């Protein structure tokens, strides 16, 4: 397993089995023993309520990112550059190096996105799944444009991950700036009362606080702060508009 380093190697658990494990096995050039696969398959039968391993989260992100890149049927050099920048900005040089290495290995592999997403849902808590979707939207928007196929795939992934419509629309609105986007970020409409705005903000801030995913490492926590800041910015924008 020397092919990958500490960025993704710590905290691998459920990702060693199932469809994600098969892709990981391909990446490191070996397969896992039957006992390991059975253990993780048994584990995946019960939805996770506890913390997700750091390695599980990161490898799941890279696998889904690869599937997203392939959504339009082609992967260009420019797209790879955007991906490199995304991982560098969020996880530093080491994260960029390992993520791109894995993606290049997996580009010629079939990514069963539906099965991967269902495995993640069965083993990853809701806070981690929400952060995963946020990263995927950021990756899709990294080149300044999100095509219809990418949106369709993100919509399907969100549904398979068990993320509710309000949360999905909130994350989506963080990447689109229009007259209603601030309200969508908070999961409300412009007709909401001032008190409803305050309540929605408190709930969103509580559910999306960076500490929710802080156990997976400082880099993931720091990246999660961007989503938290978008929620605060949306609230401030609405308060200014309303004179609250």
């Amino acid at each position: 397993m020397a092919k990958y380093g500490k960025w993704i190697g710590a905290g691998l658990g459920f990702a060693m089995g199932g469809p994600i494990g098969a892709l990981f096995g391909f990446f490191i050039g070996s397969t896992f023993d039957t006992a390991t696969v059975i253990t993780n398959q048994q584990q995946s039968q019960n939805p996770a309520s506890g913390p997700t391993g750091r390695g599980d989260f990161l490898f799941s992100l890279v696998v889904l990112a690869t599937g997203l890149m392939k959504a339009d049927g082609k992967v260009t050099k420019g797209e790879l550059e955007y991906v490199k920048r995304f991982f560098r900005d969020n996880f530093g040089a080491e994260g960029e190096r390992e993520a791109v290495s894995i993606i290049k290995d997996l580009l010629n592999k079939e990514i069963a996105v539906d099965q991967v997403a269902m495995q993640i849902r069965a083993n990853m808590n809701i806070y981690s799944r929400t952060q995963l979707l946020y990263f995927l939207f950021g990756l899709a928007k990294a080149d300044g444009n999100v095509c219809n196929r990418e949106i369709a795939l993100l919509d399907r992934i969100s549904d398979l991950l068990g993320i509710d419509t309000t949360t999905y629309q909130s994350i989506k609105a963080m990447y689109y700036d229009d007259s209603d986007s601030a309200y969508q970020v908070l999961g409300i409409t412009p007709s909401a009362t001032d008190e409803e705005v305050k309540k929605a903000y408190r709930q969103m801030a509580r559910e999306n606080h960076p500490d929710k995913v802080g156990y997976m490492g400082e880099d993931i926590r720091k990246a999660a702060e961007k989503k938290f800041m978008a929620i605060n910015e949306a609230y401030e924008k609405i308060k200014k508009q309303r004179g609250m």
Side-chain angles (χ1 to χ4, degrees), residues 98-115:
E98 288 194 29
V100 172
S101 176
I102 297 168
I103 288 172
K104 286 182 176 179
D105 272 5
L106 297 183
L107 279 177
N108 294 321
K109 291 290 290 182
E110 185 68 29
I111 307 293
V113 173
D114 289 21
Q115 294 178 27

Side-chain angles (χ1 to χ4, degrees), residues 6-40:
K6 63 181 181 180
W7 182 75
I8 208 166
L12 277 167
F14 78 80
M16 298 288 277
I20 300 177
L23 292 169
F24 186 73
F26 170 79
F27 169 63
I28 64 173
S30 63
T31 57
F32 305 109
D33 59 64
T34 303
T36 300
V37 175
I38 290 175
T39 297
N40 285 281

Side-chain angles (χ1 to χ4, degrees), residues 29-215:
S30 63
T31 57
F32 305 109
D33 59 64
T34 303
T36 300
V37 175
I38 290 175
T39 297
N40 285 281
Q41 286 175 339
Q42 290 172 341
Q43 181 185 26
S44 69
Q45 291 173 2
N46 299 311
S49 56
T52 300
R54 173 184 169 80
D56 295 326
F57 179 89
L58 292 172
F59 195 72
S60 297
L61 172 61
V62 173
V63 169
L64 289 178
T66 307
L68 188 63
M69 288 180 66
K70 298 169 66 175
D72 60 359
K74 62 179 187 243
V75 179
T76 67
K77 182 178 179 180
E79 284 178 314
L80 279 173
E81 288 301 315
Y82 287 122
V83 169
K84 288 171 66 176
R85 185 188 309 161
F86 170 82
F87 279 98
R88 181 170 64 251
D89 289 347
N90 285 283
F91 302 106
E94 184 178 43
E96 173 198 349
R97 184 171 56 253
E98 288 194 29
V100 172
S101 176
I102 297 168
I103 288 172
K104 286 182 176 179
D105 272 5
L106 297 183
L107 279 177
N108 294 321
K109 291 290 290 182
E110 185 68 29
I111 307 293
V113 173
D114 289 21
Q115 294 178 27
V116 167
M118 287 188 288
Q119 182 183 1
I120 292 169
R121 179 175 181 172
N123 291 279
M124 193 179 287
N125 63 41
I126 185 60
Y127 306 115
S128 301
R129 281 180 272 144
T130 301
Q131 186 62 36
L132 197 63
L133 184 66
Y134 174 77
F135 281 143
L136 290 173
F137 258 104
L139 186 59
K141 194 69 182 292
D143 61 354
N145 180 55
V146 182
C147 72
N148 290 333
R149 288 184 181 179
E150 288 173 328
I151 286 292
L153 181 56
L154 286 167
D155 187 42
R156 191 164 92 245
I157 288 173
S158 177
D159 185 54
L160 291 166
L161 289 178
I163 294 174
D164 63 84
T165 302
T166 299
T167 301
Y168 172 77
Q169 293 298 336
S170 170
I171 294 173
K172 183 179 178 180
M174 291 177 188
Y175 293 95
Y176 297 90
D177 188 16
D178 58 33
S179 58
D180 292 339
S181 61
Y183 288 96
Q184 291 173 345
V185 167
L186 298 186
I188 54 178
T189 66
S191 62
T193 64
D194 288 355
E195 191 56 39
E196 288 171 335
V197 170
K198 295 176 184 177
K199 182 179 179 181
Y201 166 70
R202 288 194 295 267
Q203 180 177 342
M204 278 290 180
R206 183 173 61 251
E207 293 177 353
N208 292 277
H209 197 281
D211 286 348
K212 296 286 188 181
V213 294
Y215 58 84

